[in-house]
Structures are given as C-alpha cells and as structure tokens.
C-alpha cells in the first residue's frame, strides 16, 4: 500500500522538555516476555465470549495486581463483566432449491440473517453488472443474481469477507428496499476465493451489548450465497426456494480489566488519564492457513503489554493525576468492551481527561507510525494532539503517516478501535497505531513477527504523552467544532 510519510516538525523554542524519570523502567525484555505469554497458543487466540478470553483476562488481572495497580472494576475487583449478545443461524435451519436440499455452510451460506419461512419462485436476474431492474417488480420475490466485481474496491484490508458485503451494498440493498423477499447471490471467482473466510464469518453471526442495534436481529430479508456450480439449478425454469431460517439468540460473558494508579496531587488525583487497549483476538479458526490459532500478537497484545510497561513507569513515579488502565473485551466483535465501559464507567466519566488508545503498535517500518484523531474531522482536542506531537519529537521521532487519519481513506480506520466511544462522548481521545500489514487477522500475527525495538518506542511515546497529560496544570480542552463524519 502506498503511503506518504511526512515528518512533522514541531517548534519547541521556549519550552523545556519535562524530565521523564521513569522512562528507563520501560524495558524491551519485559515487553517481550509479556507479549510471548499473552500471545501464546495457551490462550488460543482469546476469542471474545469464550473461556480463552476469560483466561487471558484473569492473567491480565493478575499482572495488574502484581504490578501494584489498584482495582477499579466492579465490587473492588479488576474486572467489569458484561453480556455479549450473540445471534446466529440455528443448525435446525434448512434451505432447498427446486426441492434439492443444500447443506448449510457448505453449499449455501447465509450472509444476512433473518427469521424467515419462505416458499417462493426464484426470479433470475442474471449478471449484477448488466441486470436491468428498473421495470421489474421484485416485491415478495426471491431474486438470484450473479456477483460481479465491476466497480467494487478490492484494494482494502480483509477483502475476502468484505467483498460479499460490498456486493450486497451495491446490488442487493436497492432490491430489498423495493420489497424483495430474499436474495441469492451466485459466486464469481472472487467470491469463490472469499468463501472460506466469508462463510466462517457468516456462521459466527452478529454480536452486541445490551441495548445495541445488533443485540437482536433487525433484518427481515435473508441474503444467501451459493457456489458457481449451483447456477444451473437456479436458472431452471420455475425454480423455487424453500427456506426455514431460525436465529438463535444467546449471551456470553466478556470482561474489561480495569485498574488505576492514584495521583499525587490532592486536587488533581480525582481526575484520570486513561490508557486503553483490547485483549481479545480471533481465536482458533479453520480456514485457509497452515496454523489455526489467530494469536493477535500485534492486534492487540502489543498494546496490552505496552500498558503494563507504562503502569510500571507510573508506579515508580506517579503523576499528579490518577492514571486509569482499561483493557477492553470483545473489541473485535464491534468495540463492545469500550462501548460498555463508556456507558457504564467505574469512575465518573467527566473525570476522564483524555483517552490514549492503542491498536497494533509493533509492526511495519521501524521509523514510522500514526496517531488517529490528529486531523479534522477526527481531531477532538488540538491541545492533546500538540502534547502527543511534542512527545514524539522529544522521544521516538517517528515519521507520522497522515493518510490513514483522513476521512476519505477507504479503510475508515478511525472508526475501528476503542477510542471511538470515548471520542463520541467528547473526551479528548487518540489512537496510536503502526497500521495494517499482510499478517493482520491471520495466524501470522504472532509474537515472533513483532518488532520489539519499535514496540518499545511506541510504548515510550504513549508514556511520554500520558506523562504530559497526567501532570498538566489544566486538562486538555475539547475542540468546540468537533463533529465526526459519521
Ligand atoms: Zn485491534
């Protein structure tokens, strides 16, 4: 991926860099030891809502205790548990075309869930790119469409399971709003290649916290995908679809790990600088790779171990303000832990003066990195951004990528990590990252592939920024004109 790197030069004339007496407590050896432990196969990829995530969370809580953090979870513990709602298609569901039963998750996959009983003729619309639906009445009908990649951006991360979503957005949603009862997409070559990942994703279903839009399934119209080989079956004159789709709705526990270090200033100790990361990754999966454990070393054990290193530094030399450490659960299921904590904070939400979130901070070029929330419309505190830039200048001197923070960037990366719910509440918030790489969300995101020198520099940067915020006479102000594009 093409990147333009610029060095932001910051004038420090007239300012003297503050001493960082505990910087030398941040050690590569600790980062490495912690990361090899957390991203070990022992924790089986820490998938949200599983005992693997809980086991890793207990380990993190134990590290908090050993480091000397004070508990700030529920009931005097380091843990804040919450319900993660899971909706998925029941194994009792059945789908047949022309009375020929298709094996669910093998011959047919359900890309959009719905509780639905359908017995209807199929209207074959042909190639998505050339079909003309202007004068066709699709109301109450099942339509079949051949996928076509024309006009779909494939140069994105996770193109596999994003491809069927893009096809649905481009060709399917208009037909749904015109009243189609179901859509059957037929794989093209790209969808055929995407099948394993997309199907696994479909099989998992959707997740949310209590009250979230995906806590229950809202859609009424199911969307199916079938292999190219099923095309003749669908093209048969008078072809019919019979489907009995049932959704199962279950809750699982996930957990935020919360601790703090008390500030030394009697007036400022009731305010908190907050560090944020997530402990979950993608668990054990089957598709397409030689290894099955998605270790989540960069995403996001890198930040969890950086937070522990920062905790060591703040314990050695506490700041004026208190420093809060929140390692969120279930980030990969839709920022669930941060959405839960920000709506059920264990300290007064107005006492959190800034959120320094990190996501993936140990890969790519040794001398470059990014903070998201640095440019409008994502920037919600010019004062916090200035502190982070000063910290970079005084410390690691990374060349800062500015492309990924742009609202025009295709990845929408700003909207994909745990600072977001806090920024939406108006709390000055940043996300530190060394950005995507080809091993993202694969078993190759493992401890061996982390650049530990770079991880230390990122940890230093987050520490230096936090030190400034936690000791500033006045908390960083929120920019009054802050408004996210979505
Ligand atoms: Zn992440």
């Amino acid at each position: 991926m093409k990147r333009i790197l610029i060095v932001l030069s910051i004038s420090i004339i007239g300012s003297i860099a503050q001493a960082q007496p505990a910087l030398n407590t941040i050690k590569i050896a600790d980062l490495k030891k912690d990361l090899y432990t957390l991203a070990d196969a022992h924790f089986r990829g820490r998938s949200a809502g599983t005992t693997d995530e809980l086991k890793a969370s207990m380990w993190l809580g134990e590290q908090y205790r050993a480091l000397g953090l004070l508990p700030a979870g529920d009931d005097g513990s380091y843990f804040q548990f919450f319900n993660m709602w899971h909706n998925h298609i029941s194994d009792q569901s059945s789908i047949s075309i022309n009375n020929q039963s298709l094996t669910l998750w093998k011959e047919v996959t359900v890309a959009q869930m719905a509780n639905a009983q359908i017995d209807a003729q199929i209207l074959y619309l042909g190639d998505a790119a050339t079909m003309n639906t202007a004068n066709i009445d699709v109301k109450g009908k099942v339509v079949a469409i051949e996928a076509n990649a024309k006009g779909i951006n494939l140069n994105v991360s996770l193109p596999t399971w994003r491809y069927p979503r893009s096809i649905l957005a481009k060709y399917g949603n208009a037909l749904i709003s015109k009243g189609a009862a179901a859509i059957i997409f037929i794989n093209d070559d790209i969808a055929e290649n995407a099948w394993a990942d997309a199907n696994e994703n479909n099989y998992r279903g959707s997740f949310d916290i209590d009250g979230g839009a995906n806590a229950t399934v809202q859609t009424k119209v199911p969307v199916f995908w079938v292999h190219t080989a099923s095309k003749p079956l669908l093209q048969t004159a008078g072809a019919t679809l019979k489907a009995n789709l049932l959704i199962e709705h279950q809750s699982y526990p996930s957990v935020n790990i919360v601790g703090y270090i008390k500030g030394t200033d009697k007036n400022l100790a009731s305010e908190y600088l907050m560090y944020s990361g997530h402990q979950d990754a993608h668990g054990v999966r089957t598709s397409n790779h030689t290894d099955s454990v998605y270790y989540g070393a960069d995403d996001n054990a890198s930040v969890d171990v950086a937070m522990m290193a920062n905790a060591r530094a703040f314990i050695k030399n506490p700041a004026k303000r208190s420093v809060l450490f929140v390692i969120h659960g279930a980030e990969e299921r839709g920022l669930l832990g941060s959405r839960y904590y920000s709506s059920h904070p264990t300290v007064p939400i107005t006492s959190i003066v800034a959120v320094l979130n990190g996501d993936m901070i140990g890969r790519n070029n040794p001398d470059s990195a990014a903070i998201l929330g640095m440019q409008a419309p994502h920037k919600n505190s010019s004062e916090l951004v200035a502190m982070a830039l000063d910290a970079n200048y005084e410390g690691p001197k990374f060349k800062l990528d500015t492309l990924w923070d742009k609202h025009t960037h295709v990845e929408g990366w700003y909207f994909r990590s745990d600072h977001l719910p806090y920024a939406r509440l108006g709390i000055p918030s940043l996300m530190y990252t060394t950005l995507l790489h080809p091993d993202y969300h694969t078993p190759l995101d493992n401890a061996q592939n982390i650049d530990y020198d770079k991880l230390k520099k990122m940890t230093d940067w987050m520490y230096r920024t936090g030190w400034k915020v936690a000791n500033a006479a006045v908390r960083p102000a929120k920019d009054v004109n802050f408004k996210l594009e979505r």
Side-chain angles (χ1 to χ4, degrees), residues 43-96:
F43 292 122
R44 293 167 43 89
R46 312 184 302 280
S47 185
T50 67
T51 50
D52 303 322
E53 186 195 35
L54 295 182
K55 204 158 71 171
S57 300
M58 296 307 115
W59 182 81
L60 286 164
E62 176 55 21
Q63 304 311 301
Y64 274 26
R65 190 197 61 75
L67 289 168
L69 294 187
L70 298 168
D74 289 336
D75 304 322
S77 78
Y78 292 110
F79 306 107
Q80 180 190 46
F81 285 90
F82 58 92
N83 273 337
M84 181 178 89
W85 286 106
H86 180 205
N87 297 288
H88 65 104
I89 293 290
S90 158
D91 291 344
Q92 307 304 312
S93 302
S94 61
I95 299 161
S96 59

Side-chain angles (χ1 to χ4, degrees), residues 27-45:
K27 295 195 170 75
I28 287 178
D30 290 333
L31 293 167
K32 200 167 182 172
K33 180 166 171 277
D34 289 342
L35 199 142
Y36 266 87
T37 305
L38 186 55
D40 190 84
H42 175 69
F43 292 122
R44 293 167 43 89

